[in-house]
């Protein structure tokens, strides 16, 4: 499913707006994400840091987990808003890959300028997916 220009702008605004809620006392690096489902809903998310640093969760995974825990599994696109156009980390790429290699990924900076427009497949070539596992329930 192709993202319309209007959907893209709406997602960009959502990702920029939600950055305010990032909990980033250690890095001060605010990240906001806005995920569009095939059903037309937007789930946003922020990075939530922790004094035990590895317990931190990224904005992209917050958005995906919020959506999945509301019953959504089919995603069209995610916009990630960072200060300077920083790109999704490896763990977030893997979590996005679980739900579709065709998901569009757009990275913007704090001004909303687009730095990258790509897909999960391009961000994580050769991803490990459920196809490599023995038969299982979906
Ligand atoms: N971060 C994200 O939220 N998404 C990414 O894909 C990269 C990194 C967050 C994690 C941490 O709170 C801060 O950015 C610095 O690494």
């Amino acid at each position: 499913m192709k993202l319309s220009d209007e959907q893209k702008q709406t997602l960009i605004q959502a990702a920029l707006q939600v950055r305010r809620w990032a909990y980033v006392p250690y890095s001060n690096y605010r990240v906001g994400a806005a995920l569009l489902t095939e059903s037309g809903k937007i789930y946003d998310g922020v990075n939530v840091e922790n004094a035990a640093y590895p317990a931190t969760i990224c904005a992209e995974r917050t958005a995906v987990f919020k959506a999945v825990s509301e019953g959504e599994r089919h995603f069209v696109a995610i916009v990630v808003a960072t200060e300077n156009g920083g790109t999704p980390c490896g763990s977030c790429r893997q979590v996005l890959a679980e739900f579709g290699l065709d998901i569009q990924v757009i990275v913007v900076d704090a001004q909303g300028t687009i730095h990258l427009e790509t897909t999960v497949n391009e961000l994580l070539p050769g991803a490990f997916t459920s196809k490599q596992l023995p038969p299982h329930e979906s």
Side-chain angles (χ1 to χ4, degrees):
M1 202 169 120
K2 182 89 178 88
L3 198 62
S4 72
D5 284 347
E6 195 187 330
Q7 285 175 315
K8 194 187 288 186
Q9 284 313 318
T10 303
L11 275 184
I12 290 172
Q13 289 310 317
L16 289 170
Q17 288 299 318
V18 78
R19 278 183 81 231
R20 77 182 64 188
W21 301 124
Y23 176 72
V24 290
Y26 309 109
S27 74
N28 199 32
Y29 191 76
R30 291 181 181 278
V31 186
L35 179 69
L36 177 66
T37 69
E38 280 184 12
S39 62
K41 288 191 196 146
I42 295 174
Y43 288 86
D44 60 17
V46 296
N47 49 336
V48 181
E49 297 187 344
N50 193 281
Y53 297 169
T56 292
I57 186 154
C58 295
E60 299 91 316
R61 276 176 288 155
T62 301
V64 171
F65 297 156
K66 280 173 71 174
V68 173
S69 57
E70 299 282 332
E72 301 281 355
R73 294 181 181 181
H74 303 287
F75 306 125
V76 179
I78 187 166
V79 169
V80 185
T82 62
E83 184 59 37
N84 53 1
T87 50
C89 79
S91 296
C92 291
R93 293 176 194 210
Q94 182 65 37
V95 166
L96 287 166
E98 178 72 19
F99 297 99
L101 297 173
D102 294 331
I103 298 169
Q104 295 168 65
V105 180
I106 298 166
V107 176
V108 300
D109 65 22
Q111 283 69 49
T113 303
I114 295 176
H115 283 239
L116 181 68
E117 274 196 82
T118 186
T119 62
V120 171
N121 193 41
E122 284 178 354
L123 286 176
L124 193 63
F128 182 82
T129 70
S130 60
K131 291 199 175 73
Q132 282 140 291
L133 291 172
H136 56 276
E137 288 177 20
S138 59

